[in-house]
Amino acid sequence: MNRSLLLFLLALSLLSVLPACDVGDDDDDTSDDDDSTPDPADTDDDGDGLSENEGDCDDSDAAISPNESEATCDGVDNDCDQGTPDDIDGDADGVLCSTDCDDADPANFPGNTEICDGADNDCDGTSWVTGEETDDDGDGALACVDCDDSDGANYPGNAELCDGADNDCNGFDDMGNPGVAGEEADDDGDGQSECQGDCDDAEAMTYPEAPELCDGADNDCNGLDDMGNPGVAGEEADDDGDGQSECQGDCDDSDAMTYPGAPEGLLGSDRDCDGVPGGSGSLSLADASFVGENAYDNSGSSVASAGDVDGDGLDDLLIGVAWNDDGGSNAGKTYLFFGSTVAAGGPFNLSLADAFFVGPGGDRSGVSVASAGDVDGDGLDDLLIGAYWNDDGGSDAGKTYLFFGSTVASGGSFDLSLADASFVGENADDHSGVSVASAGDVDGDGLVDLLIGAYCND
């Protein structure tokens, strides 16, 4: 065998023991592949920075890779780590997120009690009864607390209006009188309610600007019963108890004897309110009368106001009876009636007087009587009594007696000799005291002065 043949056989034997070579296989993989074609697992298909060969368990979703945090309760292995739990209790309400309808709010989970907050607290798919946690009228209050979710003017905390509705949802239509129902209703059908100013919503004739009637009521709600004299209270009241008020035509509602249809009074008075003074002059129409004690007394020979002798605020009366014989023949007597005694009117016998003043026989005391005014400045009016036949200064010289109010204020019987002061005529036949009167304060000293007439003085 020649040398060339041996070399050929040796080369052929070496080829049989060497592994075959893949054309173009430039990677280190021992598999039979062609390294000239790239491996798809080396490609980052979803652009999240990692390929499948680098651990991306879902290279079609950029939100899934070992670089991502595990998102709970989505059923996806977001971080490509099967060891990271997906079903957790995110809001610590005791219910896993797989069954919790809102795992971000611990007030919402299956079996919880539904409350009025607009959320599905019990995870039944509805909030309260369907629609109850909606705000249909847009007033900011849910239907489950709004007393009228169809009206945006009615909701808790709103200001109450005079519209007949429960605007503040307190259960009452109570504008102007909180807590009292019906303040916004027109109970009497006159077109106005109490909150509109109706001062008597039970009376249809009474409401603001109604015509004022003569019925004792405040029909126009101005605060006054003032028919016939707007703005003046009491025009519809019967002040004197005669059965008729001023608005009924009573021309003097302070006098029970004066009213329309009353018997006409004394000369100059208009007791029947017809605008024409009476002219009958009948003394039977007097409010009070005073009858003498005895025959031939000639009571009333003089009369006068006594002023306020007893200080009760009422003026008192003096009646002189110059021919009374209680103190002797023609002694004369004077009677004092307090205003409080006669204020109610009626007939009086002079024996019922509060005080009596008796002179001596022949004096004819009481021929003149008068209030002296407050001579002593004690606040009580004093009395003057004239006795023009008194003989102390000579036959028929006359005499005048002064009694202080403080002396007689309690009433009683007084002899003229007990007078606080007396004034004796200068001469016989002067007849001083035939007239007596208060002169007022002539000298300006603050005390009242006196006048005494002596018509026969020479």
Side-chain angles (χ1 to χ4, degrees):
M1 182 179 302
N2 61 30
R3 185 183 176 94
S4 300
L5 181 58
L6 288 171
L7 289 172
F8 175 77
L9 293 171
L10 179 60
L12 185 62
S13 63
L14 288 171
L15 287 172
S16 65
V17 298
L18 291 174
C21 295
D22 292 329
V23 178
D25 184 7
D26 58 0
D27 60 21
D28 295 330
D29 196 330
T30 59
S31 64
D32 188 10
D33 61 0
D34 186 357
D35 281 344
S36 64
T37 302
D39 186 350
D42 288 338
T43 302
D44 178 13
D45 298 324
D46 57 10
D48 59 7
L50 294 173
S51 66
E52 289 175 87
N53 284 337
E54 290 174 316
D56 192 339
C57 55
D58 184 353
D59 206 29
S60 65
D61 188 339
I64 299 175
S65 79
N67 291 334
E68 297 296 321
S69 299
E70 186 65 34
T72 59
C73 280
D74 61 357
V76 178
D77 183 14
N78 309 93
D79 62 357
C80 294
D81 182 354
Q82 295 294 324
T84 304
D86 184 63
D87 194 5
I88 66 170
D89 180 11
D91 56 10
D93 59 9
V95 179
L96 295 176
C97 61
S98 58
T99 56
D100 195 335
C101 60
D102 183 357
D103 203 40
D105 190 337
N108 304 328
F109 57 87
N112 191 22
T113 301
E114 191 71 34
I115 61 175
C116 185
D117 61 357
D120 181 14
N121 309 105
D122 58 5
C123 292
D124 67 351
T126 63
S127 56
W128 205 278
V129 178
T130 301
E132 287 296 295
E133 294 186 39
T134 59
D135 180 15
D136 296 333
D137 56 12
D139 58 12
L142 298 177
C144 48
V145 294
D146 195 333
C147 57
D148 183 357
D149 205 35
S150 65
D151 190 336
N154 303 330
Y155 56 87
N158 190 22
E160 192 69 28
L161 307 175
C162 187
D163 60 359
D166 180 16
N167 308 106
D168 58 5
C169 290
N170 72 341
F172 304 105
D173 56 332
D174 56 356
M175 181 182 179
N177 199 1
V180 177
E183 294 296 292
E184 301 170 31
D186 178 18
D187 299 326
D188 54 14
D190 58 14
Q192 299 197 42
S193 63
E194 287 165 280
C195 65
Q196 290 174 304
D198 194 333
C199 54
D200 184 353
D201 206 29
E203 174 54 66
M205 302 300 291
T206 298
Y207 54 88
E209 298 185 4
E212 191 68 31
L213 305 176
C214 187
D215 59 1
D218 177 19
N219 305 103
D220 58 3
C221 293
N222 72 342
L224 306 169
D225 56 331
D226 56 355
M227 181 183 177
N229 198 1
V232 178
E235 294 296 292
E236 301 171 31
D238 177 18
D239 298 326
D240 56 12
D242 58 14
Q244 299 196 42
S245 63
E246 287 165 281
C247 65
Q248 290 174 304
D250 194 335
C251 56
D252 185 353
D253 207 29
S254 65
D255 184 353
M257 302 295 291
T258 300
Y259 54 88
E264 191 54 271
L266 297 174
L267 185 65
S269 68
D270 180 18
R271 287 196 169 176
D272 61 1
C273 295
D274 64 356
V276 180
S280 69
S282 174
L283 291 176
S284 65
L285 299 174
D287 296 299
S289 58
F290 304 86
V291 180
E293 292 186 273
N294 310 298
Y296 309 114
D297 271 5
N298 293 329
S299 64
S301 54
S302 64
V303 292
S305 168
D308 185 9
V309 175
D310 56 356
D312 64 355
L314 300 175
D315 285 338
D316 309 315
L317 305 178
L318 282 170
I319 300 174
V321 182
W323 281 264
N324 179 276
D325 296 330
D326 285 5
S329 177
N330 294 327
K333 189 174 183 178
T334 298
Y335 301 84
L336 172 65
F337 281 88
F338 294 146
S340 56
T341 300
V342 301
F348 297 89
N349 190 284
L350 292 184
S351 63
L352 300 175
D354 296 290
F356 308 90
F357 305 87
V358 180
D363 270 13
R364 292 197 176 175
S365 66
V367 69
S368 62
V369 292
S371 169
D374 184 11
V375 174
D376 56 355
D378 64 354
L380 300 176
D381 287 327
D382 308 317
L383 308 179
L384 286 171
I385 299 173
Y388 77 134
W389 278 12
N390 180 274
D391 296 330
D392 288 2
S395 178
D396 299 334
K399 189 173 183 179
T400 298
Y401 301 87
L402 172 65
F403 282 88
F404 293 147
S406 56
T407 301
V408 301
S410 297
S413 180
F414 299 87
D415 189 281
L416 292 183
S417 62
L418 300 175
D420 294 292
S422 59
F423 307 87
V424 178
E426 292 183 275
N427 310 299
D429 299 319
D430 274 0
H431 293 295
S432 68
V434 70
S435 61
V436 292
S438 169
D441 184 10
V442 175
D443 56 358
D445 63 355
L447 298 176
V448 175
D449 308 315
L450 306 177
L451 285 172
I452 299 172
Y455 78 111
C456 290
N457 180 278
D458 295 328

